[in-house]
Amino acid sequence: MDHSAYLTGLRLIATGAGVTVAISLCAIAIGFAIALPVCAANMSGSRIARFLGHFYVSFFRGVPLLVLLLLIYYLLPFVGLELPSFAAAALGLGVCTAAYQAENLRGGFLIIPAGQREAALAFSYSRYQSWRHILLPQAIRAAMPMMVNEMIAILKASSLVSVVGVADMTRVAQNIVARDVQPLLWYPAIAFIYLAINLTLAHFSHRSVGRLRRSRPEFRL
């Protein structure tokens, strides 16, 4: 392989890496937005709400992600909703990670001492105000290590979006290998990039958790 083809491949891989990070961040944001009401439903006093919350978590944790991506990609046009491949893939990843994020948040809420809920009510906070301003920020801090682990898991799982036509890093590498027939060059390269991104996330996670433990000793995990 000549020098120019190698440089072109690197540029394509870099572009694909940007798509991988972007779709992972979109999926995490979508998942968090869904996880909040799902977590609230799981902790609700209503049996119907708890049933719906548990059903959501069980369903999206039980269905393989690849099957879910294919289902969303082909089902949405069938019901008249046309989405670009990127949006459909981000939605598929998002609804999947929401089930895990909801359980992570629920674990964070369970760590919070019950006395804080009672104190909030004693200061005339409504249930929503105490949940929004007092309990939720603490639950997010307590669940931070698990949330970062989920981010890493989603970034790795994002390699599956290539099956629905998204030009992520894995799909780009597959195209380059089909052209150059150099699998032992390009697949280790993207493996190294995935590893570098995940190690960076893990590093910042450990630093954040360390600061959290020093500033909030009640949240030692």
Side-chain angles (χ1 to χ4, degrees):
M1 185 172 61
D2 61 45
H3 185 68
S4 61
Y6 180 74
L7 292 178
T8 299
L10 287 179
R11 286 195 293 269
L12 292 174
I13 289 290
T15 302
V19 173
T20 292
V21 172
I23 202 167
S24 300
L25 292 176
C26 289
I28 288 294
I30 294 171
F32 186 75
I34 299 174
L36 288 175
V38 172
C39 177
N42 284 337
M43 302 184 68
S44 171
S46 168
R47 295 179 61 182
I48 296 177
R50 287 200 307 274
F51 170 79
L52 293 175
H54 290 320
F55 176 80
Y56 183 96
V57 171
S58 299
F59 179 83
F60 286 104
R61 291 177 70 176
V63 176
L65 179 56
L66 179 59
V67 175
L68 186 61
L69 287 170
L70 293 171
L71 180 62
I72 290 178
Y73 182 72
Y74 289 107
L75 179 62
L76 293 180
F78 181 77
V79 298
L81 183 57
E82 296 284 347
L83 288 179
S85 297
F86 184 97
L91 178 61
L93 290 172
V95 297
C96 177
T97 187
Y100 295 91
Q101 291 191 54
E103 288 298 282
N104 292 339
L105 283 173
R106 189 168 71 92
F109 277 110
L110 294 177
I111 294 176
I112 301 173
Q116 297 206 23
R117 298 179 177 85
E118 299 168 359
L121 295 176
F123 279 96
S124 300
Y125 278 80
S126 67
R127 290 186 180 275
Y128 171 77
Q129 289 174 327
S130 63
W131 188 85
R132 167 66 180 83
H133 298 289
I134 297 177
L135 303 180
L136 179 59
Q138 296 184 68
I140 293 175
R141 286 195 293 267
M144 186 186 301
M146 296 178 288
M147 302 287 280
V148 174
N149 287 339
E150 180 60 19
M151 289 179 64
I152 293 173
I154 282 296
L155 190 140
K156 292 189 293 184
S158 68
S159 61
L160 295 174
V161 304
S162 60
V163 302
V164 294
V166 178
D168 72 318
M169 187 161 54
T170 300
R171 180 62 175 267
V172 169
Q174 289 173 334
N175 293 339
I176 296 174
V177 168
R179 181 196 67 187
D180 298 332
V181 195
Q182 295 280 347
L184 296 182
L185 172 63
W186 295 111
Y187 289 143
I190 67 169
F192 176 79
I193 295 173
Y194 276 116
L195 178 62
I197 296 172
N198 288 331
L199 288 178
T200 301
L201 283 175
H203 172 72
F204 284 110
S205 170
H206 292 154
R207 292 188 60 182
S208 299
V209 171
R211 288 196 297 268
L212 176 63
R213 287 175 175 174
R214 290 191 294 271
S215 62
R216 302 296 298 269
E218 68 270 24
F219 288 118
R220 294 188 183 275
L221 304 174

